Amino acid sequence: MEDEEVQIDALPYIDHEYEDPRMQQLVHSMIQQELRASGVSTNVEHQRVKEEFPPYELRFESPFLATLLQRAEQGVASQDVDLSRYKLPRPSSDDPAEWESSVATARLLLQHQSTRIINLEPAKKYGPNAWRKSNTLVEDYGRQATARLDSTRAEVDDVNRKRKSSQMGSSEALAMLENAMYELAEKNLRIQ
């Protein structure tokens, strides 16, 4: 079959040769060959989606967070957070310098906790609205993508309907011409 030249027509609603697995394989190989020759990506739809919806880029003001994200993407295990500086051990002796150091550490930890509470207040107040707004944007993005998908599907269905109507409308004429061709061929054979 590979040595033979095969004529493939574009009348899938009339001709049923495509149901043969060998024909399907031949058509698929011809499509792949044409795509390779034209330099078009075989995953055109995926490429189009990537162009229309670029990936969200995370931006960090802190280089530390950016480094942590890179390490997580590379699969490198992160180092455990050193929590020893948040502990407040009791001084081991009655040395006043050690006690003063412990009191200074206690003040720093208290200030740190106070700062955390102050920072949590705006998050508590504005966080839910920011989250809702973010969710709304994601939902809008999803609705836009769904609308584009529905529009594209409708266009494809419309093209397919027109193609089927055109092919079915011309099927009678093709059948008459095919019969005429066979009759003339038979008549020529009889004459010879």
Side-chain angles (χ1 to χ4, degrees):
M1 180 163 188
E2 293 173 6
D3 297 340
E4 300 175 23
E5 186 173 323
V6 177
Q7 287 274 318
I8 298 179
D9 56 26
L11 299 172
Y13 295 103
I14 299 171
D15 299 324
H16 299 288
E17 288 88 4
Y18 186 69
E19 294 170 2
D20 179 18
R22 290 180 299 166
M23 183 61 77
Q24 289 177 358
Q25 185 179 10
L26 177 66
V27 169
H28 182 69
S29 67
M30 290 174 75
I31 290 171
Q32 292 303 320
Q33 182 181 8
E34 184 68 27
L35 287 173
R36 280 192 298 276
S38 67
V40 175
S41 169
T42 56
N43 199 346
V44 175
E45 190 62 30
H46 179 67
Q47 196 65 26
R48 197 174 111 214
V49 168
K50 283 175 95 174
E51 290 169 4
E52 286 186 25
F53 302 106
Y56 182 75
E57 256 183 64
L58 292 175
R59 294 187 193 101
F60 296 105
E61 291 179 16
S62 165
F64 175 73
L65 290 177
T67 305
L68 279 178
L69 179 65
Q70 286 176 346
R71 286 178 39 199
E73 287 174 345
Q74 294 169 356
V76 177
S78 63
Q79 300 168 348
D80 291 338
V81 178
D82 181 19
L83 298 176
S84 64
R85 61 186 204 172
Y86 298 112
K87 293 181 180 174
L88 185 58
R90 182 183 172 104
S92 57
S93 67
D94 289 336
D95 182 24
E98 201 173 320
W99 276 93
E100 286 176 13
S101 172
S102 183
V103 168
T105 303
R107 283 189 182 128
L108 284 173
L109 289 174
L110 181 62
Q111 183 61 42
H112 174 70
Q113 291 299 327
S114 297
T115 304
R116 285 182 68 192
I117 290 170
I118 289 170
N119 287 338
L120 285 175
E121 288 300 320
K124 193 171 154 183
K125 184 175 181 181
Y126 301 110
N129 288 337
W131 180 255
R132 284 186 201 102
K133 182 172 175 123
S134 172
N135 284 344
T136 302
L137 290 174
V138 169
E139 288 171 355
D140 289 345
Y141 191 66
R143 278 192 288 275
Q144 289 173 2
T146 302
R148 286 183 185 167
L149 176 65
D150 292 343
S151 170
T152 303
R153 282 184 177 158
E155 289 173 15
V156 167
D157 288 344
D158 187 46
V159 166
N160 287 337
R161 251 186 256 104
K162 287 178 183 175
R163 184 180 294 146
K164 183 175 183 177
S165 173
S166 169
Q167 289 180 21
M168 297 308 275
S170 61
S171 68
E172 279 186 39
L174 285 172
M176 285 181 7
L177 290 172
E178 187 177 17
N179 286 338
M181 178 191 72
Y182 285 132
E183 287 172 5
L184 289 174
E186 188 178 315
K187 190 176 182 181
N188 282 340
L189 284 174
R190 272 192 251 144
I191 292 174
Q192 291 176 357

